[in-house]
Amino acid sequence: MGASEEKSVLDAHLLNGLDKLSVRHGDGIEMVNVTENLRELCKRLNAQSIIKVHSSDLFQGTHALEVNNPKLDSHLIVLSEEELSLSCDCAHGANDVERLQYVTSIADRLLRSVITWLNEYQSLPATLLSCRYVEEFLIRNSQRDKALFKFNTDCIYYDQILTNIIAAICYFAAFVKSLLLRAVIFEEEDLNFNSMGLQSFDIMPPQKLILSELQKSLDLISDDSSPMAVHLGHILKAVRCLVHIEDVLTVYSTSTAYLDELIELARSLQSHTLKLEPPAGSFSMGIQKRRSNQFPPKNIVEPDNNYLGFIHMANSIKTVLRVSEADTAVETFQFAYFFNKLKQQHVLARAIFPLFLVRDNQNILGRYSIEDFLFSHLMEYSLMGTQVSEKMQSSPEVFQVLTPALKECANALFDWYQNASQNTARYRQGYNRQLIVWDSVQAQLETAELNFISAEIHDEVISGSDTVATPLMPYASWVFTLKVMVMIEFTLKGFDLDVYKPYEGYDMFWYVSYLAFHLDSCLIKIHCFIMNRIDRIHAMNKKMKKMKAGPKKSKLKEDYQELMSTEMGQLQTNKQYLNYLIAHTKIHRSLSMFQTLQFALLKSHGVIDNKPPMLNQFANAELIHSLRFKPFSSIGVPELPSYAEFESTINRFVVDGEPGSANFVAEVETNMILMEKESATAEEAAKGIIRAIEANDKNGEMFTGTKLVKQESLEYFGELLNSAHAMNINAKDNLKKLKVDPSAAAKRFAVTLKHQSGMSSFYPLFTVVEKKSRRTSCN
Amino acid sequence: MENLTLRDYIGNTLYVTLKDGRILNGEFMAIDAQCNLLLDRVREQSKSATAEVSSRLLGLVSVPSDTVEKVEVPQYKMQEMIRSRAAFMQNIV
């Protein structure tokens, strides 16, 4: 028998079996019942076996819904008779007064649901979409062409006012959805937009139509002075404000009129005392049962009297709009650094910020091109007064070598700005991602800037205790500064998010002090360069005074006047900005050094170790350390110190000898004095910055660039100041506890990381606590 | 059909009628020894008390075996599966 004949016989044999099976028609398709066949095949499997699609990850299965499980099967949701029978095609209420009361109640609950959705992170089906009228509006509106769907109950309260309020709220929700689609905030992480398969959010009528319909609704009740009508009027106006919020991105409006009005309306709505009861069944879990739904059932959320949530939202958006008042790159940078730092801004404000800053046409705040914006950052830091900036005009061809790196640099800068408005966890993750980019940009710029030397462009500086001049590299230095700031922030943010265990405290804080040391060196180098440049310009004036009148003097005078008008002002500002950056770095350097000394002192008493307490054959201390420092492992400069270097530093700080012995006590006292000095240094630096902020940068000490985020920055440095103070007191308390019986301390005490309100979450306290006694028996 | 294995069914669309009358159809992702099914891109069809049929998408759904009334496969798909199995067996021969 040939192969083809053999195949056809086999086919015939197998297909013959099909005829014996029950065959039925389903959806017009003939079906074969395979139930028994599957059951038989399953019986042959081992109890633990699973047969699956190759590409499928069984972990996905943990997210699956489950048939007949009341917690996972939305089909099992039980709806009341009222919920099942509620019709949107008849006006509920026996008379006009009752109908007005019902419509006001529905609208009131809907508006409060917006806050429950956005401020309280509840899902869309549990809030807005729990309203049967909203569901019906979205279904029926999607079936219409352009014109707005209206309910048809023969009652203006339902057909005009309720419809228009729902349309406006859905319009606002569609705007929120558009923000999600632009990937500036994230589904589930920042808010939930489970639209239950309703496509209507994507085809909303234009803003103009919504606004005119709202106005018509307001006109309809303008003559009614009953408390219910007044309340409904306030709701209509508040909804109108919500519709206008998109203006900040569609026309980049900086007007806060609608936000201010929303704040006033929210206060007024909050104070109402009306009894509001929507028609029975108008809010339910029904949509979760009726519509496409990939999520487990969720109880609907009955909103509180939460109108004040709109005030938080409006104020948060107003805060973001303040960035348009930034006059300089430093002010813009400082705004982004502080506005979302201590208190997470409202999700809408966080989404609006990057889109308002970097416009659709890649324009920054409608004022600068990307290149200009980046250039301003450089000029306001390290580029002003350099030969590089001087010759940029005369020999532009020399600078073409910078172009690719600067493009990447601009992208990294925007990424930094976008990251500033992320939620607190993603913010740290974003910094992690940026590290490699900044490092690569720095390397490219360094290579390019080394070429300038061969083109006779020398910007050199002798800083600190150096005796040899080093190249300034204004571009690479700026990138280095930003990169190390990001590294410090990333590391310290881990304490804020409780990422680290107490035993990791030493490594992380020592690394911060190491980074701060390198950052400080860079800042001092640039500061020195600026000072030298300022001195040179002033020296021209002195030289000029000694010269006799003539062409040489005239030329010098001309040059001097030119430099005074074009450079001196910015150089003075840059110098003061550097003073601020140096002081800020000093705070981190001193506080982190304090923490390393504190840790070493606690280790000396045996109450903590810098090794993980539980190790097994698959892990050792070095591996775990390497895992923690993996984000920094590929950074070129400053190079990540080896594990051995981390180990050797702690051994230098640890006090040898028997706890309680005279030598031990004396060395501990010496360490405590060092720690006091560190906290005093940090306090002094923080106070200096606070003084400058309070004086609006006009006290001649520093330029902090915080005029737009004065309160936020004051709070941040205030917390650092409090930390410096509290760490000192805490260290003394710790020592007091350990001193009672130093030899027994290791058995009796453990160390925890403790956050305290009013203190910086970057510097939790290493606190000595009594070990919890373990139960040896159970009753 | 007796020569088909569970792997032959995997990846195909199953029509699962539940004991409560619902019909789920979706891509067959996995099955265990207890005959519990995992289906993806599931569409659920159900009848209301007024005999109105409604249909909706559910995504990834686990179907415990004790909820299953019957499992069906479109006949044309079945034929494809059988032919594939036959070709496979012939290659082995």
Side-chain angles (χ1 to χ4, degrees), chain A residues 430-457:
Chain A
Y431 277 159
N432 187 5
R433 195 181 59 242
Q434 284 177 25
L435 292 180
I436 296 169
V437 181
W438 283 120
D439 196 50
S440 152
V441 171
Q442 187 198 334
Q444 290 175 55
L445 286 170
E446 269 177 8
T447 310
E449 285 188 272
L450 281 173
N451 289 334
F452 296 162
I453 296 168
S454 56
E456 298 296 313
I457 301 169

Side-chain angles (χ1 to χ4, degrees), chain A residues 82 86 92-93 101-103 105-106 133 158 277-283:
Chain A
E82 291 92 344
L86 184 112
H92 299 272
Q101 188 263 327
Y102 273 147
V103 165
S105 302
I106 297 167
Y133 287 93
Y158 285 90
E277 192 68 46
S282 53
F283 287 85

Side-chain angles (χ1 to χ4, degrees), chain A residues 3 24 30 32 37 65 73, chain B residues 9 22 62 72-73 75 90:
Chain A
R24 72 170 188 89
E30 284 200 45
V32 181
N37 187 230
L65 301 175
D73 188 349
Chain B
Y9 286 99
R22 277 183 283 171
S62 155
E72 293 170 300
V73 176
Q75 192 180 37
Q90 194 184 15

